[in-house]
Every structure is written in C-alpha cells, then in structure tokens.
Amino acid sequence: MKSFFKRYTPLQIAIHIYGWSALVRLIIDLINHNLTANPIQALEQRTGRHAITLLVLALACTPLNNLFGWRELLKRRRALGLYAFLYATIHVIVFVDLDYGLAWSLILQTIIQKPYIVVGVLSFLMLIPIAFTSFDIWKKRLGKNWKRLHQLVYLIAPLVALHYAWGKKGDFFRLQGEIIRPLIYSVIIIIFLIMRLPQVRKALASVRDRILVPFRRREPQSKPNTP
Ligand code: HEM
C-alpha cells in the first residue's frame, strides 16, 4: 500500500477514480434501469457532460499552474484529455448506435438539420488526432507541430460549450431555458482562455510571486564575522 502511494500522487488517484467511477455508475444505472424514462437521452447527456467536464479540467491545468506554480498539473493534462475523449467517444457511439441504430442516411440528415450537432461533430473530429498523438512517441515524432496540433483544444473547448448551449435551446440573453449549466461551463472556459493571454500570464505570475513570498524559505543569512 505504501509503495502504491509512493508511485501515484493523490491528484493522479483522484483523476483515475473520477475517470472510471463515472463509467461504472453509468453502467450500474443502465443495468438497474435507473436512467430516467428516456435512457438513451440520459446516456447521451451524462456522457456529454463528463466529456466536457474532463475537457475543461484538462484546459485548467496550464493556467492553474501559472497561477499557483503547481507543476504536477501539467503532467495530468494527458490523462484528463484522454478521459474526455473516452466519454466523448461513448457519447458519439450512443448517438449513432443506440439513438439512430446506425441508420447513416438518417444520421446525416439529422446532423444537417441541427447545427448544434454539426458543432459537436466538428469538435469530436478535432479531438481524435489530439487523443491519438497525446503519447510521448508522437510528441517526439511531430516536434513543433505537436504543440500546434494540441493547441486545437483552445478551439475545441468553446465549440463544445456552444454545442452544449445550443442543444439546450435556451435563450442566453433572456436567461431562459436550461442555460445555467452551459453558461457556467462557457464562463469557465472563457476565463481559462483569457488566463492564457501573454499579458494576463505575466500579471498572474507576478501575483503568484507576491503571494508565495511569505511561504518561501528565507535564504540563511551569513553569520557576521566575529573578531
Ligand atoms: C459526433 C459528435 C457529436 C454528436 C453527434 C453529439 C450529439 C449530441 C446530442 C444529440 C446531444 C443532445 C442530447 C439530448 O439532450 O437529447 C448532445 C448533447 C451534448 N453533447 Fe454532444 N455530440 C457530439 C460531440 C460532443 C463532444 C465532442 C462533446 C464534449 C467533449 C459533447 C458534449 C455534449 C454535452 C455536454 C451535451 C449536453 C448534455 C446535457 O444536455 O446535459 N458532444 N450531443
């Protein structure tokens, strides 16, 4: 047990517990017929929400490291991103298989008719290369292009928030309909994107340095020369 905790950090353990427990809960609810009167829609919605939550958590790692200097967060982006991709994939499988029974012409027709689904499809298509190249071997192979490719996540996150908000058919301006949750996700994503701007990063770094000053160990002062 001791070596387990030496090998994995609490944050790592928390991420894997969230990643798998959400799936286990979904499966248990499915087996127990505990997924509302419309189980397929419930599955679609729950997997979609887990996907966006994990994506936002992955997006949070860099700005939170800039703010608090918690470098471990940078190492956890990959796991969070891959879990987001896992839930997004299940979400898409539920849509094409359980919801539309793989009737491709009907699926295509629905996609064309509902712009929020087009946005979902675009986000998913962009997530695929990011997920597959998230491993170190691809980082080495792609060199500078790896970073460029992975910066797509800053486009994907707002698109997914749009997919969420648009699908809810609420009115953002009149604050009507089921818009609170998509609104919260959108605001969080906007804040994290703003925190990445170079000027904001600089300002945050200086705030961090000021906050951390009292916690930094003072350099031991050299003893005064005794005569
Ligand atoms: C091929 C791509 C996609 C398709 C076809 C698709 C389809 C759908 C559909 C049909 C719904 C509405 C479910 C309902 O309320 O009846 C939905 C909602 C949602 N989707 Fe997607 N989606 C796609 C990609 C994604 C991706 C990549 C994400 C996140 C990373 C995502 C996150 C969500 C969220 C958060 C919701 C709202 C859940 C809720 O109502 O609580 N979707 N999607």
Side-chain angles (χ1 to χ4, degrees):
M1 201 65 180
K2 233 181 179 181
S3 68
F4 177 82
F5 283 106
K6 260 190 186 168
R7 212 166 143 197
Y8 301 103
T9 67
L11 180 63
Q12 227 173 340
I13 296 169
I15 291 170
H16 291 302
I17 288 179
Y18 174 28
W20 291 116
S21 66
L23 188 60
V24 170
R25 272 188 54 198
L26 267 179
I27 294 169
I28 291 174
D29 285 345
L30 184 67
I31 294 169
N32 291 333
H33 304 286
N34 209 4
L35 280 173
T36 75
N38 188 343
I40 293 175
Q41 186 184 41
L43 271 181
E44 242 164 37
Q45 293 180 337
R46 276 171 63 173
T47 49
R49 284 201 297 269
H50 286 307
I52 193 173
T53 305
L54 286 153
L55 195 70
V56 169
L57 289 175
L59 195 74
C61 292
T62 306
L64 292 185
N65 167 56
N66 293 341
L67 189 58
F68 300 113
W70 189 7
R71 292 196 65 77
E72 193 202 333
L73 286 171
L74 301 181
K75 290 190 200 158
R76 306 295 159 237
R77 281 180 301 191
R78 182 196 298 171
L80 288 165
L82 284 174
Y83 278 123
F85 181 66
L86 170 72
Y87 284 96
T89 308
I90 301 173
H91 179 69
V92 175
I93 292 173
V94 171
F95 173 76
V96 294
D97 191 358
L98 299 188
D99 208 357
Y100 282 80
L102 299 178
W104 294 106
S105 59
L106 191 60
I107 291 171
L108 208 67
Q109 208 180 315
T110 311
I111 291 175
I112 293 165
Q113 277 169 0
K114 296 186 177 172
Y116 83 92
I117 299 190
V118 176
V119 178
V121 173
L122 280 178
S123 336
F124 186 66
L125 289 179
M126 285 191 275
L127 269 180
I128 296 171
I130 295 189
F132 280 94
T133 58
S134 64
F135 302 96
D136 289 340
I137 184 164
W138 280 102
K139 207 171 182 177
K140 273 190 202 145
R141 270 194 202 172
L142 292 176
K144 274 187 184 169
N145 288 331
W146 188 89
K147 202 175 173 190
R148 278 187 209 134
L149 177 68
H150 283 249
Q151 276 173 342
L152 270 182
V153 75
Y154 304 116
L155 175 64
I156 297 172
L159 281 180
V160 170
L162 180 66
H163 167 69
Y164 190 176
W166 212 345
K168 284 296 177 194
K169 300 178 193 82
D171 188 333
F172 263 98
F173 300 103
R174 292 195 191 137
L175 292 179
Q176 279 172 353
E178 291 175 67
I179 49 134
I180 296 298
R181 272 205 247 188
L183 191 66
I184 292 171
Y185 278 99
S186 308
V187 170
I188 293 173
I189 288 171
I190 290 169
I191 291 173
F192 287 146
L193 293 181
I194 291 175
M195 281 170 83
R196 290 197 57 84
L197 297 174
Q199 299 92 326
V200 180
R201 265 165 95 159
K202 255 191 199 167
L204 289 178
S206 75
V207 171
R208 181 189 68 202
D209 290 344
R210 254 179 278 153
I211 292 172
L212 290 182
V213 163
F215 299 102
R216 287 211 175 111
R217 265 203 287 153
R218 287 218 185 118
E219 292 287 311
Q221 280 177 0
S222 54
K223 277 188 189 167
N225 284 339
T226 44

